[in-house]
Amino acid sequence: VTNEAGLSDFKALRKAITSRQQDLYFVAFDLLHLNGHDLRDIPLEDRREILAEMIPPGGRIQFSQALPGDAKSIFHLIEQAGLEGMVSKRKDSKYRSGNSTAWLKAKCYTIDEYELLGVEREAGKPAFALMAERGTGRYVGSAFITLNREMRERLWQRVQEHAGTAPNGMKRPATQWVKPGLIGRIKHLRGEDDLRHASLPDFTEETG
């Protein structure tokens, strides 16, 4: 799904899957099998050439065009355009399942401030913070707590000393709710109203 500027829009994609399927496009970027033939040992550049010849222009199935050049320069342009990120691949690479050194995903993150609603800590699991939009109190999602040891201990102390109650409609037994006053600086993927791939590297306390 693209926006008015012709750029991919992940937020709009999620809505279109359920309510506006006529707006969906399928963007193909690789071809692994063709007419019973395994193409995974063919270099990526050749696989993509075969794929491009199979896709007519102007349809709902589109070919993902490559952007050759310096990765840092391209990533800068992607950030400026407000896109989520990019994937870099070696042109001569063969396809292999799982992790690979032949391709690299680079994501575009942004940092925003949200109100801390509470924290969830369970034995053997990562701790994460529940965050809300400032001013409205709308729940926007959770973020992994990546504070250093000193700040983490200060956060636990603040939560214990200023225990609060669960917001209306939220039932999470493992959560320690906290009264308003803690503001988290959240690093998260751009492009949506709710948090994705979010972490909490810093927080402050409101004064006054």
Side-chain angles (χ1 to χ4, degrees):
V1 177
T2 57
N3 59 21
E4 295 179 354
L7 302 174
S8 60
D9 189 328
F10 187 81
K11 178 182 177 182
L13 171 63
R14 295 178 65 177
K15 293 181 179 179
I17 289 174
T18 57
S19 61
R20 299 200 324 272
Q21 296 181 1
Q22 70 275 9
D23 294 336
L24 293 172
Y25 290 86
F26 183 88
V27 182
F29 58 86
D30 202 349
L31 183 65
L32 307 183
H33 294 85
L34 178 63
N35 297 330
H37 297 284
D38 188 346
L39 306 182
R40 290 176 293 179
D41 282 335
I42 297 177
L44 172 64
E45 190 173 32
D46 295 338
R47 298 199 308 269
R48 285 177 50 81
E49 183 177 344
I50 297 171
L51 177 62
E53 293 176 353
M54 297 173 59
I55 301 176
R60 286 291 172 178
I61 300 177
Q62 298 187 356
F63 178 67
S64 176
Q65 297 288 344
L67 292 174
D70 177 68
K72 289 184 178 180
S73 299
I74 294 174
F75 185 76
H76 176 71
L77 293 175
I78 287 174
E79 278 196 309
Q80 294 298 310
L83 295 173
E84 184 176 314
M86 71 178 192
V87 177
S88 304
K89 297 184 177 183
R90 295 183 60 90
K91 294 188 297 183
D92 59 351
S93 63
K94 300 177 181 179
Y95 183 87
R96 294 293 181 265
S97 300
N99 295 330
S100 171
T101 58
W103 65 273
L104 176 66
K105 180 185 291 186
K107 300 177 181 179
C108 297
Y109 286 90
T110 186
I111 295 179
D112 293 300
E113 292 187 345
Y114 296 92
E115 181 181 347
L116 178 70
L117 296 176
V119 298
E120 287 194 3
R121 291 191 293 169
E122 296 184 80
K125 297 182 180 180
F128 58 91
L130 276 59
M131 310 305 300
E133 188 176 59
R134 298 187 69 180
T136 68
R138 184 182 70 86
Y139 176 66
V140 294
S142 60
F144 285 105
I145 296 174
T146 57
L147 302 168
N148 61 38
R149 182 173 181 178
E150 180 181 349
M151 292 193 67
R152 184 179 290 243
E153 291 302 322
R154 184 156 64 90
L155 176 62
W156 299 158
Q157 182 179 358
R158 177 66 169 81
V159 170
Q160 294 294 334
E161 293 176 349
H162 300 273
T165 57
N168 292 334
M170 295 193 69
K171 297 180 180 180
R172 302 176 73 115
T175 300
Q176 295 175 277
W177 303 103
V178 63
K179 294 178 180 178
L182 281 182
I183 304 301
R185 299 185 72 246
I186 304 298
K187 179 182 178 182
H188 62 99
L189 281 182
R190 63 172 60 179
E192 281 203 85
D193 294 333
D194 294 336
L195 299 178
R196 292 177 57 224
H197 298 267
S199 61
L200 171 66
D202 191 18
F203 75 93
T204 59
E205 298 187 42
E206 286 187 322
T207 59

